[in-house]
């Protein structure tokens, strides 16, 4: 499968603060990849680098085989960009903004896709964008992307500021569009439940590095939460790279791991943990995210 | 791109045209009043003997109008970093920026042409060629200053980092001072081609801000 996005050895600092070092990832064609990470782990930095609005300290990013820094402007026809906060030109109204963008995408612009979504908003055609709620603006931004009909969609925190209804509308429309047309999507969001409904693959980032990149199904099939009874007063005193974020709350040891129950049991025994009654639970994406990145 | 610039600035451009034309008209009213009260000969005399140009109230108006035009055009681009949308359009960044600037430059020049037409229309009826051309040549550096103020305003507003923006403001003030070194009529006459080139060179300044924006400077 061809990679639509390929980032190699990305390193970036803000001043002396390292955001990440030697980051590598690829987004295969026709897949929806979600980038998850706590605040400050570099999600928006990555989107900004991918959009060409931030020059990384080192490393390269290619989209459709072209380096982002020297990309042919015509290639941007194939890339739909949603900026954090669903930013759009405030001084335009619904009709004006459609007319403006349509002139840049002759032959590919699908006016009806935009107006179909606008009809759901029940706003006047001359409604100014500046007078819209964040939810309404998100639909304008999405409608413009659907009308542009790009091969790649880059969406920065698409759920920010949206109430559950608009979030659901956004996700459903987007999922239907990308699945029907085999589009590639690279997105970030703070709302992990939305990601779970949408993404095929996910990258989970921690400060300075990628913790895991794999298909969502594989992640949820292989990562588990393990709980076990430990004696009163026991505190975690071991470190094992395959047992993530072990903690004890009221005599219950909790940890996350890609290992099987037998392997976890063997590792705990090897680490001298006085445990009993080991349980293994499946996870949703939010639990998996917390399991890998920790609660703090 | 011009459609976007038109939507942002249409009402302000109308206001700018009315304001500058109003100041030009007021200058002509002063000339008319002097001619009506003391005779046109007296008006000629004060122009020659006391370096009066009658439209001196117009001196800083183009600068203010140029700065406000830059604000009207580029503040909406920097609001929530909307400029990212413009730079994501499938045209070269240089072309996109030049088209935005071209709109502002064309609007400023068009406004100056209308002002000049108003001034010339009346003055050529009551003043000798040498006198009305002296007034129009005297006003030209003011209009070039308006153009410079617009271009420097764009450079300042498009700059992504506040600290650098303050440096740009200081530089812009120093650059603009060049247009107002002397208030003597025709003082800039021999220097006007250089002043025009100097103004055109300011077109490139905005590209510095855009390049810094693309590098993610904050």
């Amino acid at each position: 499968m061809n990679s639509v996005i390929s980032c190699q050895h990305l390193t970036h600092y803000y001043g002396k603060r390292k955001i990440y070092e030697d980051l590598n990832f690829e987004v295969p064609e026709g897949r929806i990849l979600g980038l998850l990470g706590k605040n400050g782990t570099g999600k928006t930095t990555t989107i900004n680098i991918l959009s060409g609005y931030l020059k990384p300290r080192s490393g390269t990013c290619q989209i459709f085989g072209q380096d982002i820094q020297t990309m042919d402007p015509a290639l941007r026809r194939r890339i739909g960009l949603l900026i954090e906060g669903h930013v759009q030109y405030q001084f335009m109204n619904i009709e004006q903004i459609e007319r403006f963008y349509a002139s840049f995408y002759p032959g590919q612009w699908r006016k009806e896709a935009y107006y179909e979504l606008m009809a759901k908003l029940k706003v006047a055609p001359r409604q100014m964008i500046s007078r819209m709620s964040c939810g309404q603006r998100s639909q304008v931004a999405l409608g413009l992307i659907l009308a542009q009909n790009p091969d790649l969609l880059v969406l920065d925190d698409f759920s920010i500021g949206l109430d559950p209804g608009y979030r659901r509308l956004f996700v459903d429309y987007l999922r239907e569009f990308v699945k029907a047309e085999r589009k590639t999507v690279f997105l970030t969001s703070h709302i992990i439940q939305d990601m779970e409904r949408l993404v095929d693959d996910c990258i989970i980032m921690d400060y300075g590095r990628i913790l895991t990149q794999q298909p969502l199904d594989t992640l949820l099939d292989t990562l588990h939460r393990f709980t076990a009874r430990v004696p009163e007063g026991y505190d975690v005193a071991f470190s094992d790279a395959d047992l993530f974020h072990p903690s004890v709350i009221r005599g219950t040891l909790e940890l996350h791991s890609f290992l099987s129950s037998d392997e976890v049991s063997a590792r705990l025994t090897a680490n001298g943990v006085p445990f009993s009654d080991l349980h293994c639970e499946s996870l949703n994406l939010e639990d998996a995210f917390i399991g890998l990145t920790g609660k703090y | 791109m011009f459609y976007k610039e038109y939507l942002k600035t249409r009402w302000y451009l109308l206001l700018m045209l009315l304001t500058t034309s109003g100041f030009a008209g007021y200058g002509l009213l002063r000339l008319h009043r002097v001619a009506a009260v003391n005779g046109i000969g007296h008006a000629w005399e004060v122009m020659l003997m006391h370096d009066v140009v009658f439209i001196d109230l117009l001196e800083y108006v183009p600068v203010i109008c140029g700065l406000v035009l830059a604000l009207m055009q580029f503040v909406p681009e920097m609001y929530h970093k909307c400029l990212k949308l413009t730079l994501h359009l499938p045209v070269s960044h240089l072309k996109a920026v030049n088209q935005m600037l071209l709109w502002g430059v064309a609007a400023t020049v068009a406004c100056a042409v209308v002002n000049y037409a108003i001034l010339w229309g009346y003055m050529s009826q009551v003043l000798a060629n040498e006198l009305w051309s002296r007034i129009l040549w005297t006003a030209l550096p003011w209009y070039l200053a308006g153009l410079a103020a617009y271009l420097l305003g764009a450079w300042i507003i498009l700059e992504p980092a506040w600290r650098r923006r303050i440096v740009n403001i200081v530089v812009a003030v120093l650059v603009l001072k060049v247009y107002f070194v002397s208030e003597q009529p025709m003082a800039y006459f021999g220097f006007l081609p250089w002043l025009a080139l100097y103004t055109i060179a300011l077109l490139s300044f905005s590209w510095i801000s855009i390049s810094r924006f693309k590098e993610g400077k904050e």
Side-chain angles (χ1 to χ4, degrees), chain A residues 116-181:
Chain A
E116 186 189 327
L117 200 54
M118 290 309 100
K120 291 193 187 303
L121 288 183
K122 297 184 178 63
V123 289
R126 305 225 165 159
Q127 168 103 26
M128 295 297 288
I129 308 257
S130 58
R131 291 184 188 167
M132 288 183 170
S133 68
C134 189
Q136 289 173 324
R137 233 176 29 242
S138 75
Q139 300 306 295
V140 173
L142 178 64
L144 292 168
I145 287 178
L146 300 186
Q148 183 191 336
N149 192 23
D151 296 321
L152 168 66
L153 289 81
V154 178
L155 315 175
D156 188 9
D157 212 345
F158 68 87
S159 48
I160 197 164
L162 302 187
D163 64 31
Y166 274 116
R167 263 176 30 222
R168 183 61 65 89
L169 186 64
F170 194 103
V171 168
D172 289 349
Y173 251 85
L174 187 64
R175 190 173 48 193
E176 193 183 313
F177 171 69
V178 298
K179 287 299 171 193
E181 315 247 352

Side-chain angles (χ1 to χ4, degrees), chain A residues 172-198:
Chain A
D172 289 349
Y173 251 85
L174 187 64
R175 190 173 48 193
E176 193 183 313
F177 171 69
V178 298
K179 287 299 171 193
E181 315 247 352
R182 262 189 72 75
K183 305 294 187 186
T184 307
V185 184
F186 183 83
L187 58 89
T188 67
S189 171
H190 274 98
I191 313 289
I192 295 177
Q193 295 97 316
D194 291 342
M195 296 280 245
E196 193 165 359
R197 290 172 55 81
L198 196 57

Side-chain angles (χ1 to χ4, degrees), chain A residues 48 52-55 73-74 76-77 79-81 83 87-92 96 99-101 104-105, chain B residues 1 3-4 7-8 10 76-77 79-80 82 84-93 213-216:
Chain A
N48 282 338
Y53 303 126
L54 184 61
K55 199 172 178 181
R76 287 199 287 271
R77 279 181 210 283
I79 306 168
L81 177 66
I83 299 173
V87 171
Q88 275 302 340
Y89 298 113
Q90 304 276 310
F91 50 88
M92 292 188 187
Q96 288 166 343
R99 204 176 307 147
F100 169 68
Y101 277 110
F104 288 96
Y105 302 97
Chain B
M1 196 68 76
Y3 178 60
K4 172 165 73 74
L7 290 175
K8 272 189 287 189
R10 58 194 156 155
E77 294 286 339
Y79 180 75
H80 288 312
C82 252
K84 286 181 178 180
L85 297 171
T86 303
L87 297 181
H88 187 69
L89 295 169
V91 290
S92 84
H93 291 162
F213 183 90
K214 283 167 60 184
E215 284 176 17

Side-chain angles (χ1 to χ4, degrees), chain A:
Chain A
M1 199 178 282
N2 293 333
S3 289
V4 171
I5 297 175
S6 172
C7 289
Q8 304 297 327
H9 311 297
L10 272 190
T11 298
H12 194 66
Y13 286 74
Y14 286 118
K16 288 182 178 172
R17 188 166 77 90
K18 183 174 84 174
I19 303 301
Y20 41 62
E21 196 157 19
D22 199 26
L23 197 75
N24 299 285
F25 66 89
E26 301 204 338
V27 183
E29 188 179 0
R31 305 284 288 181
I32 305 175
L33 188 141
L35 183 64
L36 286 80
K38 290 179 176 175
N39 293 340
T41 50
K43 298 188 298 294
T44 297
T45 299
T46 308
I47 294 269
N48 282 338
I49 290 171
L50 279 175
S51 319
Y53 303 126
L54 184 61
K55 199 172 178 181
R57 187 167 286 189
S58 65
T60 58
C61 265
Q62 293 192 327
I63 293 184
F64 296 120
Q66 284 194 25
D67 190 290
I68 286 161
Q69 296 293 324
T70 55
M71 184 190 281
D72 176 3
L75 198 64
R76 287 199 287 271
R77 279 181 210 283
R78 297 178 63 192
I79 306 168
L81 177 66
L82 182 86
I83 299 173
E84 187 176 342
H86 311 281
V87 171
Q88 275 302 340
Y89 298 113
Q90 304 276 310
F91 50 88
M92 292 188 187
N93 66 32
I94 285 178
E95 283 181 349
Q96 288 166 343
I97 202 164
E98 189 277 328
R99 204 176 307 147
F100 169 68
Y101 277 110
S103 64
F104 288 96
Y105 302 97
Q108 74 180 70
W109 189 257
R110 300 195 303 191
K111 189 177 181 175
E112 65 287 349
Y114 174 76
Y115 280 109
E116 186 189 327
L117 200 54
M118 290 309 100
K120 291 193 187 303
L121 288 183
K122 297 184 178 63
V123 289
R126 305 225 165 159
Q127 168 103 26
M128 295 297 288
I129 308 257
S130 58
R131 291 184 188 167
M132 288 183 170
S133 68
C134 189
Q136 289 173 324
R137 233 176 29 242
S138 75
Q139 300 306 295
V140 173
L142 178 64
L144 292 168
I145 287 178
L146 300 186
Q148 183 191 336
N149 192 23
D151 296 321
L152 168 66
L153 289 81
V154 178
L155 315 175
D156 188 9
D157 212 345
F158 68 87
S159 48
I160 197 164
L162 302 187
D163 64 31
Y166 274 116
R167 263 176 30 222
R168 183 61 65 89
L169 186 64
F170 194 103
V171 168
D172 289 349
Y173 251 85
L174 187 64
R175 190 173 48 193
E176 193 183 313
F177 171 69
V178 298
K179 287 299 171 193
E181 315 247 352
R182 262 189 72 75
K183 305 294 187 186
T184 307
V185 184
F186 183 83
L187 58 89
T188 67
S189 171
H190 274 98
I191 313 289
I192 295 177
Q193 295 97 316
D194 291 342
M195 296 280 245
E196 193 165 359
R197 290 172 55 81
L198 196 57
V199 302
D200 301 315
D201 305 302
C202 66
I203 293 176
I204 297 182
M205 289 180 81
D206 201 358
Y207 297 98
R209 67 199 173 104
I210 285 177
L211 291 172
T212 185
Q213 176 177 2
Q214 52 184 303
L216 182 64
D217 295 344
T218 311
L219 176 70
L220 299 185
D221 283 347
T222 53
L223 183 67
H224 295 99
R225 176 168 46 222
F226 294 91
T227 54
R229 301 294 307 163
V230 288
E232 202 68 34
Y234 173 79
D235 200 7
V236 175
F238 68 93
S239 174
D240 188 314
D242 293 320
L243 306 180
F244 309 123
H245 304 290
S247 63
V248 175
I249 301 171
R250 293 176 181 271
T252 301
L253 171 68
E254 181 185 293
L255 57 86
H256 297 77
S257 180
F258 287 108
L259 302 176
S260 67
S261 287
D262 291 344
E263 287 170 319
V264 169
S265 177
R267 292 288 183 99
L268 290 176
T269 305
N271 281 298
V273 180
F275 72 97
S276 61
D277 203 14
L278 183 68
H279 283 282
C280 172
E281 294 171 48
S282 294
L283 304 172
N284 61 28
L285 183 57
E286 184 165 306
D287 292 335
F289 174 75
I290 298 289
L292 286 172
T293 60
K295 289 174 186 162
Y296 305 106

Side-chain angles (χ1 to χ4, degrees), chain B residues 64 126 152 160:
Chain B
I64 295 165
V126 296
L152 291 166

